[in-house]
Amino acid sequence: MTRDSESGPPAAYPATPRTTPTRLRERAAYDRELVHAILDAGYLCHLGFVRDGAPVVLPTLYARHEERLYVHGSTGSRPLRASRGGDGLPVCLTVTHVDGLVLARSAFHHSINYRSVVVHGTARQVTDPAERSLALDAIVDQAVPGRAADSRRANAKELASTAVMRLDLAEVSAKVRAGGPNDEPEDLGLPHWTGVVPVRPAYGVPVPAGDLDPSITLPGYLAPAGPRGAAREDSAPC
């Protein structure tokens, strides 16, 4: 395993039994830069854990800061309460981007092009005020880069009702599928359209609040592209 620099982290995360897929292993990757790029391209994750002996998966906001993920939640939610203890909360967190619908000649070989990351680990509630402030700013900026500095900071009452969990990036894997259909040779002559339908997020033109002061102009981080730099269209597949 190589390192980015003499004192930097390894260039790849170690493969473990939980991060090694049982099928299509060639699509798995552990490259640190690839993992970071996939995580940085999104802001919605799915957090899985066990509650009362049954699996639970919740959608929530997240942000990456160096080798940590910060996950947003309410102080009253069960996963946040469970993560307060010294043992923390065992979780599995996933992030997925769909890049295309792959239409093959046969129904069996239909697929999607995607980029995904799976993180296993123990989530712990962030209690340090400085780290919690950093985490909340990061979560806002993960969805809309530049927004944290252009909004009022949370007050004491708001902070009391908001919680953040930290999950270290240690047991991590990425999985990627790209390219066209993989049809069987005997199907190549079938009279069915085949190819890839690209899928991308689309951001509409920002709609100002009804009570917005007309003298306040659209901030630069929202125009002319979307919050994450994607071209805006009034109507596009997403």
Side-chain angles (χ1 to χ4, degrees):
M1 185 179 298
T2 60
R3 291 185 175 268
D4 298 322
S5 65
E6 195 64 31
S7 59
Y13 295 101
T16 71
R18 291 198 297 186
T19 62
T20 302
T22 55
R23 63 184 299 271
L24 299 176
R25 294 191 178 193
E26 68 278 6
R27 294 183 185 172
Y30 306 92
D31 179 78
R32 190 175 300 268
E33 289 189 5
L34 174 63
V35 167
H36 288 183
I38 294 172
L39 292 173
D40 294 349
Y43 49 86
L44 176 69
C45 69
H46 287 84
L47 184 72
F49 56 97
V50 175
R51 182 178 70 192
D52 299 331
V56 177
V57 179
L58 298 177
T60 188
L61 298 174
Y62 75 93
R64 182 185 72 85
H65 179 71
E66 297 177 349
E67 290 299 320
R68 290 177 173 176
L69 291 183
Y70 290 111
V71 182
H72 179 270
S74 165
T75 53
S77 68
R78 287 198 179 189
L80 268 298
R81 293 201 303 269
S83 67
R84 289 176 188 164
D87 293 336
L89 176 68
V91 300
C92 177
L93 181 148
T94 65
V95 173
T96 303
H97 307 287
V98 177
D99 297 321
L101 305 178
V102 182
L103 309 184
R105 294 175 177 85
S106 67
F108 177 80
H109 283 298
H110 278 60
S111 186
I112 62 170
N113 285 339
Y114 64 91
R115 293 161 291 140
S116 66
V117 164
V118 177
V119 184
H120 295 275
T122 301
R124 292 181 170 83
Q125 187 167 343
V126 176
T127 57
D128 177 75
E131 185 180 7
R132 192 151 66 119
S133 178
L134 179 152
L136 291 172
D137 283 351
I139 289 170
V140 171
D141 280 338
Q142 182 89 8
V144 185
R147 185 63 182 176
D150 190 32
S151 56
R152 176 181 64 78
R153 307 295 293 275
N155 58 35
K157 181 180 179 180
E158 293 164 341
L159 286 174
S161 64
T162 306
V164 178
M165 289 190 298
R166 180 182 67 240
L167 177 61
D168 292 336
L169 293 175
E171 196 172 0
V172 188
S173 64
K175 204 172 182 183
V176 177
R177 201 273 187 200
N182 296 319
D183 275 308
E184 300 295 337
E186 59 269 25
D187 290 337
L188 298 183
L190 294 177
H192 307 302
W193 189 93
T194 181
V196 177
V197 179
V199 176
R200 60 190 181 278
Y203 293 93
V205 176
V207 179
D211 56 0
L212 179 68
D213 185 334
S215 66
I216 300 176
T217 60
L218 189 70
Y221 55 80
L222 290 180
R228 304 192 60 80
R232 272 206 198 92
E233 299 178 16
D234 290 334
S235 178
C238 58

